[in-house]
Amino acid sequence: MKDHQFYIRQCINLGKEAKSNGESPVGAILVKDGEIMASALEAGKAKKDITCHAEVEVIRNLREKLDIVDMSGYTMYTTHEPCILCSYAIRHHRISSVVWSISTGEIGGASSEYPILEANNIAIWGKAPELVKGFLKSNVRKSCLSSYFACCLLNGICLLQLNYLLNEITKHRTTKSQIK
């Protein structure tokens, strides 16, 4: 039988693919009854859409494939703790369990000040998913290394993501100053 490590390794491979595409190295899959039903990689830069995190993309892929909203009975595996945005989507779709390697601190859906993944006080979402944390942390950290970026966690923010945000801010300031 396949275990958490098997599925996290699949996510690591997806994360490596995302990194080779110039994205943050995040991959996610949805599993039901031992079968991978959908997979996705980070795509925010390529699609020019900040909501295209791997976790949201895998939900979109499964919805497109099976035309379902309620994902009870599914387990999401991902290289990184889902952020607050992704956690909302996970709860909305009632995913039963979430397994990840690296926690993301202040932006995490469980480890931040806004633990959406653990909230049991929002009746419409029902029961919080089971959370399994820390599988293959060192493997995921190694897959984050790049000759161009030192992708490590700094206060819960991947330096690759931080660099992307700084570039976007610089572009915005440049565009704004050109308009004046």
Side-chain angles (χ1 to χ4, degrees), residues 90-139:
I90 289 166
R91 293 304 303 274
H92 176 80
H93 292 339
R94 298 176 183 257
I95 293 171
S96 298
S97 55
V98 184
V99 181
W100 70 80
S101 290
I102 297 176
S103 292
T104 53
E106 67 185 5
I107 61 169
S111 62
S112 74
E113 291 182 41
Y114 309 100
I116 294 170
L117 285 174
E118 298 176 333
N120 280 313
N121 59 344
I122 303 172
I124 196 167
W125 284 345
K127 182 180 172 240
E130 175 189 357
L131 305 178
V132 182
K133 312 166 191 176
F135 271 89
L136 299 174
K137 277 189 214 178
S138 62
N139 295 60

Side-chain angles (χ1 to χ4, degrees), residues 18-176:
K19 185 179 85 174
S20 72
N21 294 340
E23 302 284 351
S24 296
V26 183
I29 60 173
L30 280 166
V31 174
K32 185 165 187 181
D33 299 326
E35 184 180 344
I36 297 173
M37 301 300 293
S39 63
L41 22 125
E42 197 82 1
K45 292 177 193 173
K47 293 184 177 181
K48 296 179 172 52
D49 181 349
I50 195 167
T51 68
C52 293
H53 293 190
E55 297 87 351
V56 172
E57 290 291 278
V58 75
I59 290 169
R60 287 175 177 150
N61 291 348
L62 186 64
R63 285 195 66 171
E64 188 174 304
K65 178 180 177 181
L66 300 180
D67 194 28
I68 61 170
V69 175
D70 186 345
M71 297 181 188
S72 299
Y74 285 83
T75 298
M76 178 181 286
Y77 289 87
T78 180
T79 52
H80 295 72
E81 173 187 3
C83 72
I84 296 163
L85 167 99
C86 297
S87 297
Y88 183 95
I90 289 166
R91 293 304 303 274
H92 176 80
H93 292 339
R94 298 176 183 257
I95 293 171
S96 298
S97 55
V98 184
V99 181
W100 70 80
S101 290
I102 297 176
S103 292
T104 53
E106 67 185 5
I107 61 169
S111 62
S112 74
E113 291 182 41
Y114 309 100
I116 294 170
L117 285 174
E118 298 176 333
N120 280 313
N121 59 344
I122 303 172
I124 196 167
W125 284 345
K127 182 180 172 240
E130 175 189 357
L131 305 178
V132 182
K133 312 166 191 176
F135 271 89
L136 299 174
K137 277 189 214 178
S138 62
N139 295 60
V140 172
R141 284 196 174 109
K142 284 178 192 173
S143 74
C144 281
L145 296 176
S146 165
S147 58
Y148 186 66
F149 295 109
C151 183
C152 62
L153 294 181
L154 174 66
N155 295 325
I157 300 174
C158 182
L159 288 179
L160 182 60
Q161 292 170 327
L162 183 58
N163 186 55
Y164 173 72
L165 291 172
L166 291 173
N167 285 335
E168 291 300 306
I169 290 167
T170 303
K171 282 185 214 173
H172 176 71
R173 285 184 180 159
T174 303
T175 305
K176 196 174 177 181

